[in-house]
């Protein structure tokens, strides 16, 4: 029975990750606030960021780091992980308890390349189309969960 559940879980994970070879994979990059790029047009108003800083109607703050929580919500991560409860993979709170800031590069690589054996028998599929900066923002968010 355990083998049937493991095989079914693996098939479900592969399906959720969109492991189809028919489509061309492109890096995923989500700009959570496109208005804050200095010198670029602000999408809604057509004004430049420099104009906004010089007294326009919008005053942009310093460019924020990418929002890891929003990136996770827009990805397939929640098919296997939850913030505080173990699902297929470990909860984000378990990951945050085990790893520190020094482990960020290692965790980014693990997300992009996939892997197995650290949290059990079920492997984490690779997310090769995920941009490095996005994966880093996700890891930084995950490490804040307690």
């Amino acid at each position: 029975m355990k083998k049937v559940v493991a095989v079914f879980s693996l098939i479900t994970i592969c399906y959720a990750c969109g492991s189809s070879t028919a489509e061309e994979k492109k890096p995923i990059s989500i700009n959570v606030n496109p208005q804050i790029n200095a010198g670029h047009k602000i999408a809604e108003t057509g004004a430049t960021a420099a104009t906004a800083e010089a007294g326009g109607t919008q005053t942009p703050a310093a460019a924020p780091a990418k929002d890891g929580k929003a990136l996770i919500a827009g990805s397939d991560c929640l098919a296997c992980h939850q913030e505080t409860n173990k699902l297929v993979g470990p909860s984000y709170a378990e990951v945050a308890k085990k790893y520190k800031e020094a482990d960020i590069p290692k965790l980014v690589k693990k997300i992009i390349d996939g892997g197995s054996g650290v949290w059990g028998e079920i492997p984490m599929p690779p997310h090769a189309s995920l941009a490095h900066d996005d994966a880093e923002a996700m890891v930084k968010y995950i490490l804040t969960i307690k």
Side-chain angles (χ1 to χ4, degrees), residues 76-88:
D76 65 343
C77 299
L78 297 176
C80 299
H81 302 278
Q82 291 183 349
E83 284 197 12
T84 56
N85 298 320
K86 178 176 176 26
L87 199 56
V88 174

Side-chain angles (χ1 to χ4, degrees), residues 33 35-39 42 48-64:
N33 195 348
Q35 297 181 359
I36 309 237
N37 294 326
I42 297 175
T48 63
T51 303
E53 288 177 10
T57 58
Q58 294 184 352
T59 307

Side-chain angles (χ1 to χ4, degrees), residues 7 13-14 17-18 20 24 26 29-31 38 51 54 57 68 75-76 82 103 108 112-114 116 122 134-135 142:
V7 169
I13 290 169
C14 290
C17 293
S20 171
E24 182 179 328
K26 296 179 182 175
S29 181
I30 299 172
N31 189 352
T51 303
T57 58
S75 71
D76 65 343
Q82 291 183 349
D103 299 313
V108 167
I112 293 172
D113 295 343
S116 64
I122 299 175
D134 290 348
I142 289 168

